[in-house]
Amino acid sequence: MSNYFSLQQSLNELKKNKEQYEAVNCKTHCVVLAGPGSGKTKTLTTAIARVLHEEIIAPRAVACITYNNECATELETRLSKLGVSSGDLNFIGTVHSFALTQIIIPYARCIKDMVPHGFKVASGAECDAAVESAYKVVYNDSGDPHQQWKFAKEKRNRDVDRSLASWKGQNEELAEFIEVYELELRKDGLIDFDDMPLIAFRMIKENTWIREALEARFPVLFVDEYQDLGHVLHELVQLLCFNGSIRLFAVGDADQSIYGFTGANPELLESLTKKKDVQTIQLKYNYRSGTKIIKASSGALNEKREYLSADGAPEGEIIFNPVNGSLEAQAKFITGKLLPELNSKGFGNEQIAILYRAAWLGDKIVEALEQEKLIYYRTDTNALVKRSSKLACFIEDCAKWVTGGWKLAEPSFGRLVRQALSIVYGKHYTQSEEQSLTLSLIQFLQKSITLQETTNEWLSRLNKELLIPWTTICRNSLQEWHTCSELMQRTSSVENKDMSLNLFAGKTEGSGRLNLSTFHSSKGREFDVVIIFGINNGIIPNKWDSKTPKALQEARRLFYVAVTRPRKILCLVYEDGNHSEFLVEFYKRTKDSN
């Protein structure tokens, strides 16, 4: 049950925006098109809370599918303030988690030969071995099995329904490669990540009773970031919402579809808006950025967009910074000149983000920052904490709790318990198991508050006192226990990489710690100041982007995501005379907005 007062307060706030208020009160299939800074998350969470308060009686609940674990955690945090918990009834998580915990684990044992009994989720090494074995069976030549698997993976995630003629009709050899690969995994009692939604789709399509069971439990399905979730999710939505009776509430923005390499396709979101029984609502206002930034941002897409700034929004500032020299010179320009100038304007480093196209560019920024002895917090693939890992997110949340989060319940202890139970047991556990796990967790956390430990010391004790004992009782199919060992290695005092637990926990206020992120990892985030590094031709766009119009348009969308992150100041850094072609139209829109 949602907190009625908090819900009413949120609803009253949304009354100021006609489109948001209409969306949260919609009782038919609804697609909300939400551009950058448009209040997407507030609209989504208020809609979930309203539905739970006004329409759904326990034990019925709602399911909310989002792109990754970090997005799910953000939604859980926002919803908890409205009195909504994911708990045992409501589901909030990724499409893979939904497929595994809500479909495969509860129902697969009722269907013969659907998945191996007691299956586990394959590690990367096990997947690689299966690819190599399958390649020998199907091709038996000297080619590169992993290169060929890239094409197979794309087909596997695109051609979801294998009962259609197109499965074997479009490259039969590739289809055979996929099928033999899956058989290799099954021999060892394994499934992989991509298997999860594919198996779930097949189970629902071939067994109407499973769809009916899901309809009985989840009368409404919410989907966040629809444009990023790909063909498998889209086919599941077709089965559950348009062939079935579950109501859909989807939020997304085709302009921010940037995961084509994982199978995302903005046309899938657009196809929903064309359905006669779907109400489409476009959010018009950008509440995040200054007026100049909003007006210029559509230049990144090379298309016109009509987003409006809120009443009283600041003008904002866009600064072009051509640098005579290499990427290393650009990095030194940022650390030696640009950051001091921003600091002199009153912006602390913790209010500033440096964004770049790929993690290797982040390495160049890190090198320059470390020369200046500046501290940073990194969220790309070379980051300390991999936020795609549930265990890594749990460890980081525990660190936040013991470094002061317990005072404000941010995160709440209840959330830590739910995370721990999910990691160890999945969805099913006894009351005594829950009590025992909760006791071990609170004892560890309370002890942590009293000790003055570095990150490495704290991680070592967490591994010894919590994780190693938990491995002996774990029943979860997906195990990531190696994550803690990796974090211990990366914070090794021997290699002088240890840090305070406050820094590890992301306590950036007053710390002067800069935020570093790729364009992809910055999605959904916002900062007072954004510096975009390395806007050179050959980087954005790169040679792969330029091969097809579709790839080039996705590269433009990626740049658009980056330039829409700042609230107040956007700084663009690039090589003088070798600037990205994307800057040309952006510069023109900047001048037009003056």
Side-chain angles (χ1 to χ4, degrees):
M1 178 69 70
S2 63
N3 181 306
Y4 182 70
F5 176 77
S6 298
L7 171 59
Q8 284 304 123
Q9 187 178 26
S10 188
L11 285 167
N12 287 335
E13 289 168 358
L14 293 183
K15 279 183 180 177
K16 301 169 188 173
N17 183 307
K18 175 177 173 286
E19 290 78 21
Q20 285 181 319
Y21 192 70
E22 185 180 5
V24 299
N25 286 286
C26 184
K27 295 183 179 179
T28 62
H29 292 312
C30 184
V31 172
V32 180
L33 302 178
S38 62
K40 179 257 303 181
T41 305
K42 183 168 185 174
T43 304
L44 175 62
T45 52
T46 306
I48 292 171
R50 186 203 65 77
V51 165
L52 285 169
H53 181 79
E54 296 181 2
E55 297 185 50
I56 294 176
I57 299 172
R60 304 187 90 193
V62 300
C64 180
I65 293 174
T66 192
Y67 181 72
N68 57 27
N69 290 322
E70 196 173 3
C71 293
T73 299
E74 168 69 9
L75 288 176
E76 285 181 346
T77 302
R78 298 273 197 108
L79 284 166
S80 68
K81 294 175 182 176
L82 295 173
V84 176
S85 167
S86 56
D88 291 329
L89 296 179
N90 299 310
F91 171 85
I92 303 166
T94 64
V95 66
H96 297 87
S97 179
F98 181 76
L100 183 65
T101 64
Q102 308 303 313
I103 302 170
I104 297 173
I105 290 175
Y107 304 121
R109 64 183 182 274
C110 304
I111 306 168
K112 187 179 179 183
D113 299 328
M114 181 55 66
V115 293
H117 178 69
F119 69 89
K120 298 290 183 186
V121 179
S123 67
E126 288 167 330
C127 291
D128 288 345
V131 165
E132 289 161 12
S133 297
Y135 188 87
K136 285 179 184 176
V137 172
V138 177
Y139 297 97
N140 195 28
D141 60 27
S142 59
D144 182 348
H146 300 288
Q147 185 62 35
Q148 186 68 358
W149 182 248
K150 290 179 182 178
F151 299 106
K153 186 179 175 73
E154 183 180 344
K155 177 178 176 62
R156 190 181 183 211
N157 289 328
R158 184 188 64 242
D159 296 344
V160 178
D161 189 348
R162 297 184 187 179
S163 67
L164 300 178
S166 57
W167 172 247
K168 291 267 177 91
Q170 295 176 1
N171 201 325
E172 184 174 357
E173 201 169 40
L174 214 54
E176 186 183 357
F177 185 21
I178 294 164
E179 290 171 354
V180 174
Y181 161 80
E182 291 170 349
L183 283 173
E184 289 293 324
L185 289 181
R186 301 299 183 269
K187 286 178 190 176
D188 296 322
L190 300 170
I191 66 173
D192 71 6
F193 270 101
D194 289 343
D195 266 321
M196 295 176 192
L198 291 168
I199 291 169
F201 171 82
R202 182 180 159 197
M203 287 172 63
I204 296 169
K205 189 170 190 298
E206 295 176 1
N207 300 274
T208 307
W209 63 271
I210 295 177
R211 189 186 74 194
E212 291 169 350
L214 291 167
E215 289 168 355
R217 184 172 177 198
F218 299 121
V220 185
L221 172 65
F222 293 87
V223 183
D224 186 24
E225 305 286 8
Y226 196 98
Q227 76 284 347
D228 289 333
L229 286 159
H231 290 266
V232 184
L233 182 276
H234 188 66
E235 293 298 332
L236 281 169
V237 164
Q238 299 298 316
L239 277 180
L240 294 172
C241 301
F242 297 105
N243 295 348
S245 62
I246 294 177
R247 192 168 90 216
L248 174 67
F249 187 101
V251 180
D253 179 16
D255 287 338
Q256 296 185 77
S257 180
I258 57 173
Y259 292 99
F261 59 91
T262 66
N265 183 348
E267 294 173 5
L268 301 177
L269 174 63
E270 291 166 357
S271 73
L272 289 181
T273 66
K274 295 172 184 174
K275 289 182 175 289
K276 292 181 180 178
D277 52 350
V278 171
Q279 182 175 357
T280 300
I281 297 171
Q282 173 80 60
L283 302 187
K284 299 176 181 177
Y285 286 89
N286 180 331
Y287 294 99
R288 175 190 300 151
S289 301
T291 305
K292 274 189 176 181
I293 298 170
I294 295 169
K295 288 181 177 177
S297 62
S298 60
L301 297 169
N302 201 22
E303 294 178 14
K304 196 167 179 60
R305 295 291 183 270
E306 300 293 346
Y307 289 112
L308 305 173
S309 54
D311 291 340
E315 187 176 50
E317 187 177 1
I318 301 173
I319 305 171
F320 291 84
N321 299 276
V323 175
N324 185 17
S326 63
L327 289 166
E328 288 77 10
Q330 292 174 51
K332 286 181 180 178
F333 168 81
I334 290 171
T335 58
K337 185 177 180 184
L338 194 51
L339 287 175
E341 286 179 357
L342 292 167
N343 295 156
S344 71
K345 291 182 179 181
F347 295 102
N349 283 354
E350 65 271 16
Q351 297 170 283
I352 300 170
I354 303 175
L355 309 184
Y356 35 84
R357 172 71 187 265
W360 66 270
L361 289 161
D363 294 340
K364 295 186 180 298
I365 284 288
V366 163
E367 186 178 342
L369 291 173
E370 290 183 345
Q371 284 177 0
E372 297 290 330
K373 294 185 169 48
L374 294 171
I375 54 177
Y376 55 88
Y377 181 66
R378 195 170 181 178
T379 57
D380 58 35
T381 53
N382 289 343
L384 179 61
V385 177
K386 298 288 189 282
R387 283 160 187 81
S388 59
S389 160
K390 279 189 175 183
L391 182 57
C393 290
F394 168 71
I395 292 171
E396 190 175 40
D397 279 349
C398 285
K400 289 176 182 176
W401 195 90
V402 301
T403 53
W406 59 273
K407 297 175 185 176
L408 302 171
E410 292 180 358
S412 69
F413 178 66
R415 184 168 112 192
L416 297 181
V417 170
R418 289 193 298 274
Q419 286 175 300
L421 289 167
S422 175
I423 288 164
V424 177
Y425 296 120
K427 279 285 181 182
H428 304 287
Y429 42 83
T430 65
Q431 186 176 8
S432 64
E433 286 173 335
E434 180 179 358
Q435 289 172 345
S436 176
L437 201 71
T438 301
L439 180 61
S440 65
L441 179 59
I442 193 61
Q443 287 175 338
F444 171 79
L445 294 175
Q446 286 180 331
K447 186 176 177 182
S448 298
I449 294 172
T450 65
L451 298 175
Q452 297 295 317
E453 294 173 302
T454 67
T455 296
N456 189 267
E457 290 168 343
W458 181 78
L459 287 169
S460 299
R461 192 167 59 81
L462 178 141
N463 194 48
K464 180 181 177 181
E465 295 180 12
L466 281 189
L467 301 188
I468 291 175
W470 285 358
T471 61
T472 64
I473 57 173
C474 178
R475 292 199 300 271
N476 195 346
S477 301
L478 177 59
Q479 299 183 22
E480 304 173 308
W481 304 114
H482 62 279
T483 300
C484 189
S485 299
E486 290 175 359
L487 288 173
M488 289 160 61
Q489 288 174 348
R490 293 182 180 193
T491 57
S492 169
S493 56
V494 175
E495 297 180 27
N496 201 29
K497 292 182 178 179
D498 206 354
M499 65 184 75
S500 74
L501 195 55
N502 273 319
L503 279 180
F504 176 76
K507 304 287 184 182
T508 58
E509 189 174 348
S511 70
R513 187 164 78 158
L514 286 152
N515 300 279
L516 307 188
S517 177
T518 59
F519 296 171
H520 284 98
S521 296
S522 72
K523 190 153 177 287
R525 304 172 72 198
E526 55 185 35
F527 310 91
D528 282 344
V529 181
V530 165
I531 301 169
I532 303 184
F533 163 62
I535 317 175
N536 299 351
N537 264 328
I539 294 176
I540 179 82
N542 63 28
K543 63 180 181 179
W544 304 109
D545 298 328
S546 304
K547 287 196 169 184
T548 66
K550 188 175 180 180
L552 189 62
Q553 196 56 38
E554 175 153 325
R556 283 194 175 277
R557 293 196 296 267
L558 187 59
F559 186 48
Y560 176 70
V561 165
V563 301
T564 54
R565 298 307 99 195
R567 286 187 279 263
K568 297 177 181 178
I569 299 180
L570 173 64
C571 301
L572 304 159
V573 180
Y574 49 92
E575 183 180 353
D576 194 11
N578 185 38
H579 59 265
S580 166
E581 65 186 74
F582 293 174
L583 278 182
V584 176
E585 184 64 22
F586 191 85
Y587 182 80
K588 181 176 180 297
R589 298 285 174 97
T590 303
K591 295 305 173 187
D592 290 346
S593 67
N594 288 334

